[in-house]
Amino acid sequence: MVIRPNQHWFFRLFDWHGSVLSKIIFRLCLNVIMSIIAILIYQWYEQLGIHLTVAPFSLLGIAIAIFLGFRNNASYSRLVEARTLWGNMLITHRNILRNIKALLPEDKQFNRDFSNLLIAFSWSLKHELRKTDPMVDLYRLLPRTLFNEIMNSPYPTNRILLHIGLKIGELRDNKMISDVIFQSINKDINNLSDVLGGCERISNTPVPFAYTLILQRTVYLFCTLLPFALVADLHYMTPFVSVFISYTFLSWDSLAEELEDPFGVSANDLPLNAICNTIERNLLEMQDISPLPITVRPDKHYNLL
Amino acid sequence: MVIRPNQHWFFRLFDWHGSVLSKIIFRLCLNVIMSIIAILIYQWYEQLGIHLTVAPFSLLGIAIAIFLGFRNNASYSRLVEARTLWGNMLITHRNILRNIKALLPEDKQFNRDFSNLLIAFSWSLKHELRKTDPMVDLYRLLPRTLFNEIMNSPYPTNRILLHIGLKIGELRDNKMISDVIFQSINKDINNLSDVLGGCERISNTPVPFAYTLILQRTVYLFCTLLPFALVADLHYMTPFVSVFISYTFLSWDSLAEELEDPFGVSANDLPLNAICNTIERNLLEMQDISPLPITVRPDKHYNLL
Amino acid sequence: MVIRPNQHWFFRLFDWHGSVLSKIIFRLCLNVIMSIIAILIYQWYEQLGIHLTVAPFSLLGIAIAIFLGFRNNASYSRLVEARTLWGNMLITHRNILRNIKALLPEDKQFNRDFSNLLIAFSWSLKHELRKTDPMVDLYRLLPRTLFNEIMNSPYPTNRILLHIGLKIGELRDNKMISDVIFQSINKDINNLSDVLGGCERISNTPVPFAYTLILQRTVYLFCTLLPFALVADLHYMTPFVSVFISYTFLSWDSLAEELEDPFGVSANDLPLNAICNTIERNLLEMQDISPLPITVRPDKHYNLL
Amino acid sequence: MVIRPNQHWFFRLFDWHGSVLSKIIFRLCLNVIMSIIAILIYQWYEQLGIHLTVAPFSLLGIAIAIFLGFRNNASYSRLVEARTLWGNMLITHRNILRNIKALLPEDKQFNRDFSNLLIAFSWSLKHELRKTDPMVDLYRLLPRTLFNEIMNSPYPTNRILLHIGLKIGELRDNKMISDVIFQSINKDINNLSDVLGGCERISNTPVPFAYTLILQRTVYLFCTLLPFALVADLHYMTPFVSVFISYTFLSWDSLAEELEDPFGVSANDLPLNAICNTIERNLLEMQDISPLPITVRPDKHYNLL
Amino acid sequence: MVIRPNQHWFFRLFDWHGSVLSKIIFRLCLNVIMSIIAILIYQWYEQLGIHLTVAPFSLLGIAIAIFLGFRNNASYSRLVEARTLWGNMLITHRNILRNIKALLPEDKQFNRDFSNLLIAFSWSLKHELRKTDPMVDLYRLLPRTLFNEIMNSPYPTNRILLHIGLKIGELRDNKMISDVIFQSINKDINNLSDVLGGCERISNTPVPFAYTLILQRTVYLFCTLLPFALVADLHYMTPFVSVFISYTFLSWDSLAEELEDPFGVSANDLPLNAICNTIERNLLEMQDISPLPITVRPDKHYNLL
C-alpha cells in the first residue's frame, strides 16, 4: 500500500513509484516503436486503398473500457473484502480479550498467554497467505510444545484456532464460565474462523483466468494497432497520442491484475505486516504491557508492506 | 478453474487452453468467411447506393458492450456466491468439529464417525450439483445402513444433513450437552443448510434465458454484419480487424455463459473436487489422523476440476 | 422460467418462445413501416436542407443503453432477491422440521400436521403473490376449523404463520421445550416472517413508474426516428439495420419490465409452482412418507410456471 | 408512488402525471427557444469560421450519461434501503405480536395496548420523516399521560421505542418472561431501533450536494448548447431532436433528485401513509379486531402517498 | 456536508461554495490559457500536416468517464459505509441505554455515568478520525482517574470501550444481571467495536493510490490536449467548450478524491460534530435531563462540520 496523502496534484503527474508505470514501461516503449513504424510505412499502405480510421477503434476501445471497468470492479471488491476480513480480525481479537478481562478474575499470566495465541493467529495467517516461513514469529509467541505441534501441521493457522477453542473449552470444563458465556465467546472464535476461511478463499480462487487473458489480449492488440489508425490524421504527433491512450488502458489492466491478489507484496496490496503489528500493539496495550512493539513505517517510496 | 499464476504477458497472447478460444473458433472462422464475401461483393453493392458505415455499428456495438457488461456481472456474481457458499462449508465444518472437541470428553471413534458424516455431506453435494453418482464416495465414508438409506433417497444431501442434526439431538437426549450448546451447534448446522439450499438455488435457477438469447442473437448478427461496414475503409485488412472485434465480443459472451453455471466442469468453473478434498484433509488433520489423502492437482493444461 | 439448457447456439438465433420476441413483434413491424416511409420521403426532405445523421442518435442511443443497463440491474436485483427469499423458505422449512425431529420424541401425527402447516404457508404465499385462490391447496393441507379461519382472513399467509408460532408456544407451555429451544425455533419462524414480508414488499413496491415511463418513451421515439437517420447512408438496407438496432433496445426494455414483477406467470418469472412442489416433496421425504407428489415439469415450450 | 399496472405501452407515451414531465416542462421550453435562436443566428456564426459539430457533444453527452447513471444508482439505492427498512418494521411488528400471543397467557387488553404502542411507533416515524404533526395519530393510539410525554419530547419516536422496551422490562420484572425470552424480544426491539436510526440517517444525510450541483450544471449547459451543435445538419428539425435529447437527460436528472429523499410526498416517493395503514391493519387483524381501518387508495392520478 | 435543500435550479448554476469549484479553478484557468495557445498556433501546426481531430479524444474521454465512474463508486461506497457505521453507533447507544433502564432498578447516577462513557466514546472516535485533541470533550465527560488513563493511552477510543465492557462485567459480578443478559448487552458492545474497527479501517486504508494517480494524470493530460483537438472546428469558441468539458471531468475527479476520506472537514465530508451532538442529545433526553446541549448549525455557506 502506498501512503502519500498530501502530494500536490502537479507533482503527481511525475510520480514514478506510486503508479504501475514501472510494470508497463516496456510495453509503452513497444508502442512508441509501433508508432514510428506506422509513420514510416504510412504512405505505402495508403496506396493499397486501406484507410484505417479511428472509428472501429473507437467502438473497440469503448467496449474494452467497459470490460476493464468490470474487471477492476471484481478485483477491487476482492481487495475490499480482504481488508474487511483483516479489520474484523482486529475487532474480534479486541472483543475476545475484553470479554476475558470482564468475565474472569484477573490473571495476568493467563491473559498474556491467551492473547499471544490470538497474536500468533494473525502472524500465522499472514505467513500462510504470503507463503513465507512463520517460524520466527511463532517461536517468540507460543510455548515450546505448542510451537512444535503448529510447525508440523499442514494447516498451522487452523490448528492455532483449534487451540484457542480448546482453551475456552477448558475454562468451561473448569466451571469458570457457563454454557451461555462459552457460546458467546465461541461466536467470536467463529468470526476468526470466518476470517481464516475467507482469506483462504480469496487467496485460492482468483478471478477466472479467462477474464485476465481475454482482456490482456485485446488491450495489447488494441494498443499495437492504434498507431496505424491515428497516423492518417496525426502524422508526427502519433507517438504522443498513442502512448497516452495506451497508458490509460495498460495501466488499468495492470492495476486490476495487481489488485486481484490482495495478499501480495506489490505497491497496491494490503499492508499485512502493519496490520499484524497494529493487532499486537492493541492487544498488549489492553493489558497495560509496555513498551509496545514499534509501529511499522512505510519505506522511502512510501510503500507499507 | 485454470491456475496459471506466473505466465509472462507475452506468452498469454498465444495461450490456447486458458481462454474460451476453443469454444468460439468456429464462429470466428465464419467471420473470416463473411469478411471475404464482403470484400468480393463490395464493388457491386456500392453501386446500389448503399454505404454501410461504421457509425450505426458503433452505436450498436457500444450498446451491446454495456449489456454484455451487465450479463457478465450477473454471471460472475453467481460464481462468487457459489464459491463463498463452498468456503462457508469448510468454515462451518471446522467450527463444528472444533466445538465437538472442546465440549465433549475425547472419544476418537465418535469424532471420526461424526466428521465422516460432515465429509460425506460435501461429497454428496458435489455429486448432486454435477449430477454424478455419489456411490463410491459415500460408500467409503458412511456405515452400511446409513449408506443404503441415503442412496435410496431422492434428496441424499439433505438426508445426510438430517442425520447430522439427529446425532446432535441424541447428544442432548443423553444429557451430554445442554440446550444452550445444542442451539449453538444447531446454528452451525443451519449454516450447512444455507449452503445446501443456496447451491441448489444457483444450480436450479439460471440467469433468465431471454438475456442469453437476446445477447447471443445481437452479438452474432453484429459480428456477421460487421465486415460489410468495415470493408469500405479497410479493404484487404477487413478480416483482421473484423476477427479482432468479433473475438472481443464473442469471448465475453461465451465466458458469461460458461460462468452462469459455476458447478460445471469447464475450464472456468469451480474446482469442487479440490474443495471437497481440502475439506476432508482439514477435518482429518484436526483429529491428527495420518496419512492425509493427497491433494488434487491441476492437469497438464492447468485445469483444476 | 424457461429451461432450455443444451440448445445449440445456431438454433437459438431462431428461437421464438424463449425470448420476448412475441411481445415486441408489433413494434418491430411499426419500425419496418417507418423505414419504408423514410426511404420514400428521403429525396423530398433532403431538398429541405435537413441532414439527419447518425451522430446525434449515436449519442442518444448510448445514453439510453446506459439507462437501460441501470433499469435492467434494478429489475434483475428484484428477481434475484425474490428467488433468494423463496430459497430461504425451503431452507428454513427444512431446519424447523429437522429440529422438531431432533428435539421432540417421535410423534408422526404431530410432525405431519406441523409440516402441513409449513407447506400450506408456501402455497398460500404463492397464491397471495399471484392473486389466485388458495382454496384447493389449503383445503387439502389444513384441518377444517383452521381452514375456515384462514380463508376468512384478509392476510391468510400471515395468519398461517401466526398459527405456526402458536403451535411452538404450546410446546413450550407443555414444557416439551425449554425457553432456549423456543427462542431457537422462533428465530426460524422469524425467517419465514422475513420471507413473507420481503415478498410482499417486492410485490407491492415496483421500480418507480417514472423510470419505466421515461425509458419506454425515449426507446420508442428513438426507434421511430432511427430510420430517418440511417436512410441517407443505407438506402434500401435501412429496414434491416433499423429493425436489428430496434430489436436490441426494445427487447432489453421489454425484458426489464417483465422481470420487474418476478411473481408473475410470464416466461421469465419465477416458477413458484415448481418451488412449492419442491418444498412439499422435501418435507414429506424427511418424514419417509411415500409416494411423494410428482415433480412439476416444464410445458412444451420449456416454460416452468 | 404511482401505481398504474396495466397501461398499454402506446398510452404511456402521452402520460403526463406519471413522469417527471411537469417538473422539467419549463426547461424544455427554454430549450425550444434556444433551438429557434440557433436557427436564426446560424448563418451569421457560420461566417465566423465556427463549426459547432456534434462530436464534442457526443463525448460530453456520454460522459454525462455515465455520471447520471451513477447518481441514479445512488438515489435508487436510498429508495430501496428506505423501503426495506419500512418493510422490516412490518415484519418485526408481526414478530413481536406473535411472540406476545404465543408466550403470555391471553390478555386482550394488554395485547391491544401493546400493539397500539407499536402502531404509534410507525405513525410517529412517518410524521418525523415528513416533518408533519403527529398529534392526531398519537392521540387516538396512546393513553393520555404517555401522549403528553411523547408530544413534549424532541425525539418522540425514540421515546415511544423506549416505552416499548420498558414494557417488556416490566414483564421480566414480574417474572412473566425469563431472561432468555426477554433477550429474544429485545432483539426485535433492536430491529425497530435499526429501522428508526436507518430512516433518520437516510433523511439527514443526502447524497453529497456537489454531485447534484455538478450534474445539474453540466446537464443544463449541455442542453442549452446542444441546438447550436445540431443546427448545421438538422436545420428546421433542430427543435424536435434537441427537445428529445434534452428530455432524456433532464428527466433522469430530475428523477434522481426526486428519489434522493424517499420520504417526501412527490409522485415517486414511498407511500408511507399506505404502509402505516397496512401495519395497523395487520396488527389489528392478528388480534381478531374488526372492523379494520379501510385501506389507503391511490388518488385519481394513481398517486399513493 | 453542505445542506441546501430548497435552492432553485437556476441559482444552482452560480453556486460557488457548494461545489468543488474552488478546488479546480486554477486548473480551469490553465485550460483557458491552453485554449488561447491552441488558437494562436493553430495555423502553424496545420501546415505540418497534423489534424488533431476530436475522434481519438472521444474514445479517450469516454474511457476516462467510465473509469471516473468506477472511482466515484468506490469513494462514494466508503462515504456511505462510514455514515452507516456512525448511524449504527447512535442506534447501539440508544439500545444499550434502553436496556439499562429496562433491566436495572432505577439509579440515575449510574445511568448518567454510564451514558457519559458512551458519549465519550463517540467524541473520542471523532477526534481520533480527525486527528484532533480529545482533551476538552473527554475532560467534561469522564471522571478524573479514567480521564488520565485514557489520555495516556495510544488507543484512547478502544480503551473507553474496554471500560464500557468492564462496567457491564461488574454488574454481572455483582449478580445484578445474569449471563444471558450480559451476553445480550455484550452484543451491543461488540457493535460499538465494529463501528470503531470499521472507521479505523476506512481511515487507514485509502482507495489504492494508483487509481488516484492514473486517473489524475489522464484527466489532466486529456484536458490539456483537448483545446488542440477542438480548435479546428470551434475556432474562437474553443475556450468555452474546452472549459465546459474540463469542468465536468475535473470536478468529478476532485469530488472522488474529496469523498475518499469521509472523515475530513471539507465541504462534502461527514458532519461528525453534528452526529456526536445528536448522540449526546439523544442519550441525555432518554434520561429526562435538561436543558439539552444546543444542536450544531451549518455555517453561512451551509457547511455542517
Side-chain angles (χ1 to χ4, degrees), chain A residues 58-214:
Chain A
S58 207
L59 153 62
L60 191 58
I62 295 172
I64 291 175
I66 291 169
F67 300 151
L68 270 177
F70 164 75
R71 190 155 95 97
N72 268 281
N73 235 330
S75 290
Y76 180 66
S77 303
R78 290 165 63 86
L79 182 82
V80 169
E81 195 193 353
R83 182 63 187 86
T84 305
L85 287 171
W86 275 86
N88 288 349
M89 196 198 294
L90 171 58
I91 294 169
T92 309
H93 278 5
R94 282 173 175 167
N95 289 348
I96 294 177
L97 190 54
R98 199 190 60 237
N99 273 335
I100 297 280
K101 291 194 75 167
L103 289 166
L104 299 180
E106 175 127 28
D107 176 350
K108 284 193 182 214
Q109 193 52 48
F110 175 84
N111 293 356
R112 184 75 196 251
D113 291 349
F114 193 79
S115 73
N116 274 356
L117 261 180
L118 297 175
I119 296 167
F121 177 79
S122 320
W123 286 104
S124 174
L125 182 53
K126 188 210 87 161
H127 288 292
E128 188 180 322
L129 294 171
R130 288 198 171 158
K131 299 184 179 55
T132 49
D133 189 348
M135 200 172 70
V136 175
D137 284 313
L138 297 187
Y139 189 82
R140 71 179 170 87
L141 289 165
L142 299 178
R144 232 38 9 133
T145 49
L146 190 51
F147 170 77
N148 289 331
E149 184 187 332
I150 304 295
M151 291 303 290
N152 288 324
S153 164
Y155 302 109
T157 318
N158 184 40
R159 196 152 267 265
I160 296 177
L161 193 67
L162 176 61
H163 279 281
I164 294 174
L166 293 179
K167 210 128 193 174
I168 301 297
E170 264 172 46
L171 290 179
R172 175 180 160 275
D173 289 347
N174 300 339
K175 312 272 178 222
M176 298 187 66
I177 55 174
S178 65
D179 277 8
V180 170
I181 297 296
F182 173 85
Q183 177 232 30
S184 168
I185 299 180
N186 188 47
K187 242 180 234 173
D188 287 322
I189 302 180
N190 283 354
N191 282 348
L192 294 183
S193 190
D194 286 347
V195 172
L196 170 61
C199 287
E200 286 174 346
R201 167 170 53 78
I202 293 174
S203 176
N204 292 335
T205 316
V207 173
F209 184 60
Y211 278 124
T212 310
L213 205 60
I214 294 168

Side-chain angles (χ1 to χ4, degrees), chain D residues 33-84:
Chain D
I33 293 169
M34 290 312 285
S35 301
I36 293 168
I37 294 174
I39 296 172
L40 294 179
I41 70 169
Y42 171 56
Q43 288 186 311
W44 172 75
Y45 81 73
E46 197 62 348
Q47 290 165 348
L48 294 175
I50 301 167
H51 304 271
L52 253 180
T53 56
V54 179
F57 283 83
S58 207
L59 152 63
L60 191 58
I62 295 172
I64 291 176
I66 292 169
F67 300 151
L68 270 177
F70 164 75
R71 191 157 93 98
N72 268 281
N73 235 330
S75 291
Y76 180 66
S77 304
R78 292 165 61 86
L79 181 82
V80 168
E81 195 193 353
R83 182 62 187 86
T84 306

Side-chain angles (χ1 to χ4, degrees), chain B residues 71-91:
Chain B
R71 189 155 95 98
N72 268 281
N73 235 330
S75 291
Y76 180 66
S77 304
R78 291 164 62 86
L79 182 82
V80 169
E81 195 194 352
R83 182 63 188 85
T84 307
L85 287 171
W86 275 85
N88 288 349
M89 196 198 293
L90 170 58
I91 294 168

Side-chain angles (χ1 to χ4, degrees), chain A residues 27-46:
Chain A
R27 279 161 267 176
L28 289 179
C29 292
L30 276 186
N31 196 264
V32 173
I33 293 169
M34 290 313 285
S35 302
I36 293 168
I37 294 174
I39 295 171
L40 294 178
I41 69 169
Y42 171 56
Q43 288 186 310
W44 172 75
Y45 81 73
E46 195 64 347

Side-chain angles (χ1 to χ4, degrees), chain C residues 106-136:
Chain C
E106 175 128 27
D107 177 350
K108 283 192 185 221
Q109 192 52 47
F110 176 84
N111 292 356
R112 183 74 197 252
D113 291 348
F114 193 78
S115 74
N116 274 355
L117 261 180
L118 297 176
I119 295 167
F121 177 79
S122 320
W123 287 104
S124 173
L125 182 52
K126 188 210 87 161
H127 288 292
E128 187 179 322
L129 294 171
R130 289 199 171 157
K131 300 185 179 54
T132 49
D133 189 349
M135 201 173 68
V136 176

Side-chain angles (χ1 to χ4, degrees), chain B residues 51 60 67 153 155 159 179 183 186 190 193-194 200 205 209 211 213-214 216-218 220 257, chain C residues 9 12-13 15 72 83 91 94-95 98-99 178 183 233 244 247-248 251-252 259 281 285 288:
Chain B
H51 304 272
L60 191 58
F67 299 151
S153 163
Y155 301 109
R159 195 151 267 264
D179 277 8
Q183 178 233 27
N186 188 47
N190 283 354
S193 191
D194 285 347
E200 286 174 346
T205 316
F209 184 61
Y211 278 124
L213 205 61
I214 295 169
Q216 288 200 342
R217 267 182 199 161
T218 43
Y220 292 170
E257 200 181 346
Chain C
W9 63 267
R12 281 193 188 159
L13 299 183
D15 190 307
N72 268 281
R83 182 62 188 86
I91 294 169
R94 282 172 176 168
N95 290 348
R98 198 189 62 237
N99 273 334
S178 67
Q183 178 232 29
D233 282 336
F244 179 25
Y247 171 68
T248 310
S251 58
W252 276 82
L259 294 183
R281 281 171 55 88
E285 198 272 345
D288 299 299

